[in-house]
Amino acid sequence: MSSLPIPASAAPAPPALLSASLLRRFDVPGPRYTSYPTADRFVEAFGAEEHAQALRQRRDAAGPRALPLSIYVHIPFCESLCYYCACNKIVTRHHARAAEYLQDLLTELRLQVDLLGRGAPVSQLHLGGGTPTFFSDEELGTLIAALRGAFDFLPGAECAIEVDPRTVDEARLARLAALGFNRLSLGVQDFDAQVQKAVHRIQPAAQVFALTEAARRLGFSSINADLIYGLPRQSRASFERTLVQVVALRPDRIALYAYAHLPERFKPQRRIVAEELPDAATKIDMLARAIERLGEAGYAYIGMDHFALPEDPLAVARRQGRLHRNFQGYSTQPDCDIVALGVSAIGRVGASYSQNAKTLDDYRDRLRQGRLPVVRGLALGRDDVVRRSAIMAVMCQGRIDFETMGAANLIDFPRYFAAELQALQPLAAQGLVRLDAHELEVTPAGWYVVRAIAMVFDRYLQADRLRTRFSKII
């Protein structure tokens, strides 16, 4: 991937830059590009043995200069159902289920480490879900001890955990800090009471503010707040009130996601009243206002769905052209391998992706047979690697320098991507990209629809126009 600084012109612009006709054109589904190829392209022909071979190859090739790993652990349990959720989760109040799942995780960890080798360096850990704090403090302690025994956590490693503010208090935060967690991600979504009722997530603002203040007192180095726009009963006015409260909360990072209404795929979303969802024009106004309001409050717009305070490492990485994107979104970490543990978890090792079984029964059955629970994945071809570089450069840097990208991938970029550059001409005519003989650059208006620009380089979408499995770009 090209590591070029982001030009000042890449800063977002007022919403007037997107006309009603452009809104209609880009109110279409498209990938979020947390990977390329995207997970819907994974195949069952890539399974446990192929993943095992990738782990062995990394082990055999590892040396003093081996890049550190990132570790992701998926904990699927939630105590209550949020109607908007598209995550792989299990809704239950029976916490005894966590103990059995913890043993599953420890079994999978042992299987992976046996192939990868003990003591590989780690610079990033992320516990996601579901609700990771469904685990008790003792269970989390057992998990962290096992991970630290299997890997070499580097000094200053990022250790993040997703937190449901409804289930955690200051005493619990103190125990998380004692376990080594230094980053929190709080699920806020929206502060409006009517919106919360519509999505079955009642969460008073005072609760979130108190938890954030406690986290700061305890020394957490970064606090992220997740927001969603496009939820039922949201309006421009209600979302503006949420933005005012978020600015007052002042988290270090903000992830602002567009709600993807796909009730045919995600059963909980069938409880949402479709008529209560804001239309595309209202959603883009919400996004535009968020960019404007958060910019006024001092936040840097990282791109697509992330904001950060200027001194936050994410904002620094963006300014320096070191931004990356992985399955958790934008990241400061190098383009590194990801060891993924847990039901449905997606990992990356070398030029391959792997995904575990999506149901707990299937996941557990494979482990009890002494097998890795990988059920599908993908070994990337050379074209995949080249296109991934181009797509991630668009998504992260907003710019492709043809000579630099070509040299890194041993291609003549304008010739290799001649059809794609031609396909970008209409977007250039609409002011979404700037093209010349040497580079491509996303314009201020183009950042609103950066996924559409990246999609031009997606060979699989070119061959398959059925995109309804993806969320909409706006």
Side-chain angles (χ1 to χ4, degrees), residues 283-297:
K283 287 180 68 177
I284 197 64
D285 281 351
M286 291 178 183
L287 174 59
R289 181 55 181 150
I291 293 172
E292 181 181 29
R293 188 77 176 82
L294 295 174
E296 292 170 352

Side-chain angles (χ1 to χ4, degrees), residues 310-464:
E311 63 274 14
D312 186 271
L314 202 63
V316 174
R318 186 185 192 277
R319 290 196 299 271
Q320 296 178 350
R322 296 186 293 102
L323 200 63
H324 296 277
R325 192 162 174 81
N326 59 30
F327 294 109
Q328 281 73 59
Y330 285 110
S331 172
T332 62
Q333 297 299 302
D335 206 18
C336 62
D337 289 342
I338 301 172
V339 171
L341 303 170
V343 61
S344 78
I346 301 177
R348 168 186 166 180
V349 180
S352 72
Y353 296 119
S354 62
Q355 184 171 26
N356 285 346
K358 291 186 177 181
T359 68
L360 189 55
D361 286 344
D362 192 8
Y363 172 77
R364 182 165 290 154
D365 182 59
R366 291 168 186 270
L367 289 173
R368 289 179 177 174
Q369 295 177 37
R371 296 189 294 157
L372 290 171
V374 173
V375 295
R376 65 180 194 141
L378 190 68
L380 276 65
R382 184 172 182 273
D383 180 71
D384 294 328
V385 174
V386 172
R387 290 177 182 275
R388 179 172 69 181
S389 296
I391 286 170
M392 293 306 169
V394 169
M395 297 293 294
C396 298
Q397 276 73 48
R399 183 185 178 196
I400 300 177
D401 181 280
F402 299 160
E403 183 177 358
T404 302
M405 182 72 71
N409 291 280
L410 302 177
I411 60 170
D412 180 330
F413 189 94
R415 179 175 296 178
Y416 193 95
F417 286 111
E420 288 76 11
L421 294 176
Q422 184 62 37
L424 284 167
Q425 291 298 330
L427 299 183
Q430 293 165 332
L432 302 176
V433 295
R434 280 190 283 272
L435 285 170
D436 61 29
H438 307 288
E439 69 176 9
L440 173 158
E441 184 180 329
V442 178
T443 67
W447 275 108
Y448 285 99
V449 292
V450 68
R451 291 158 71 181
I453 298 168
M455 284 162 63
V456 173
F457 293 94
D458 189 329
R459 179 173 62 88
Y460 297 94
L461 282 186
Q462 294 168 11
D464 177 9

Side-chain angles (χ1 to χ4, degrees), residues 34-111:
T34 52
S35 71
Y36 180 83
T38 50
D40 63 299
R41 302 296 171 180
F42 294 178
V43 295
E44 293 181 0
F46 186 104
E49 183 50 46
E50 287 73 20
H51 179 57
Q53 181 61 26
L55 291 171
R56 293 189 199 100
Q57 288 175 347
R58 178 186 164 95
R59 177 197 64 201
D60 295 342
R65 296 186 178 180
L67 285 175
L69 290 166
S70 176
I71 300 174
Y72 174 73
V73 183
H74 188 79
I75 300 170
F77 304 106
C78 292
E79 288 190 358
S80 65
L81 178 67
C82 300
Y83 295 164
Y84 57 80
C85 186
C87 298
N88 187 303
K89 73 278 182 186
I90 298 168
V91 180
T92 179
R93 292 185 177 273
H94 298 291
H95 283 256
R97 300 187 68 179
E100 189 176 12
Y101 185 70
L102 173 60
Q103 294 307 310
D104 295 332
L105 290 174
L106 297 180
T107 298
E108 185 187 2
L109 174 62
R110 184 178 67 253
L111 290 173

